[in-house]
Structures are given as C-alpha cells and as structure tokens.
Amino acid sequence: MKTLSLALAAFMLPLASAGFAAEGDLSLSDGYARSSNPKAGAVFAMLHNAGGSDCTLQAVATDSAEVAELHTHEHGADGVMRMTKVEAGFTVPAGGTHLLERGGDHIMLMGLTAPLENGAEVALTLEFGDCGTLQATVPVDNDRQAEAAAPMAHDGEPMMQH
C-alpha cells in the first residue's frame, strides 16, 4: 500500500506543476495564466466534473489580483467581440468538462498584485457552491499561442489580446 501511495504521489507531482489540480469530483487540467500588460491577466484551463451532478463555477479568489471575475466574449451589435462579466457562472456538466479558453469563457484577473512573468505561478480558489471548492495553481505562460484570437474590446475599450 505504501508503494502504491508513493507511486501515485510521484505521478501526481508533475501534473500539479503542469496546471493540474483535483479535489473530489472536480479537477482542472492544462491550466495556465497569461498577461499582455502589467494590470490585467487571464486564466485558461479545462474544468472536469467526474460527479453525478452538474457543478457551477460561481467565483474565483486569488492573491495575484485585486479582482478575479468570470468573463466571456460576445459579439457586439457592431460586430466587435466584447468581454463581459458572467454573473451566472460556468456550469460543468455531470461527467463532463467546460473549457476556459482565449476568445471564450475565462477567468479575468484585474489589478494584478505583481506582473505575470513566465515561470511564476498563480494560486486560485475556485468556488463551486454546493459542489465545494477546488484549489489550483497554474503556471504563467505568456508565450503560449492562442488557438484563434479575434479583435476584442472590454466595455467598449481596446482590449489586451489573451
């Protein structure tokens, strides 16, 4: 049994450093943070729910920013993508996943307490209401390329590409 525990710990250690975290039925994989300016950044990842009930990410807390909010992108009437706060949260279906990605749903970090520099880490507490919380630490990777980045605006202002 001790050998199995050690083997499991050895397996999980590299995953934790690669933006993986798990608590109960909830987990996060392929997580990373990035920023293109010293005031704001964003976190992207795949959220997993192995449980039998839907779970909704309702809020995020971090010491890396004054404010962490759930955001998404929507097409404005003028055809420009705009980032908006999501009050209802992000539902991760039972036995399913929810992608936090550039140009889509993501965690917005505003009022960074320090610049997000490559190699640093961002610790997060993800609140899922009745489903509990998930503690995660994601690496900063400002060089990671987007799958598909579109011109965006935040509340009508030019927006950082992320």
Side-chain angles (χ1 to χ4, degrees):
M1 184 68 167
K2 188 175 185 179
T3 304
L4 178 61
S5 295
L6 289 173
L8 183 59
F11 171 75
M12 294 298 286
L13 185 61
L15 291 176
S17 65
F20 177 87
E23 285 183 32
D25 292 330
L26 299 170
S27 62
L28 175 150
S29 66
D30 196 29
Y32 71 101
R34 74 181 312 272
S35 175
S36 62
N37 72 63
K39 296 180 183 180
V43 175
F44 311 99
M46 179 67 76
L47 301 174
H48 304 267
N49 177 4
S53 300
D54 292 353
C55 293
T56 300
L57 177 60
Q58 299 173 351
V60 178
T62 182
D63 290 336
S64 296
E66 294 172 13
V67 177
E69 293 180 343
L70 305 178
H71 280 212
T72 195
H73 290 94
E74 297 175 345
H75 285 281
D78 57 4
V80 175
M81 291 289 283
R82 297 188 191 285
M83 199 171 24
T84 60
K85 183 177 177 182
V86 176
E87 299 289 345
F90 303 136
T91 299
V92 186
T97 60
H98 185 88
L99 181 62
L100 303 179
E101 64 180 331
R102 291 158 71 171
D105 296 342
H106 60 281
I107 299 167
M108 191 71 198
L109 306 175
M110 296 173 286
L112 294 174
T113 56
L116 296 183
E117 296 179 0
N118 283 336
E121 294 182 331
V122 174
L124 305 162
T125 300
L126 291 81
E127 300 286 340
F128 287 89
D130 292 342
C131 291
T133 60
L134 175 63
Q135 302 291 326
T137 301
V138 298
V140 175
D141 185 353
N142 291 313
D143 299 325
R144 187 160 170 172
Q145 297 299 307
E147 304 297 318
M152 297 168 259
H154 187 280
D155 296 330
E157 297 177 18
M159 175 98 176
M160 68 174 203
Q161 291 281 327
H162 62 220

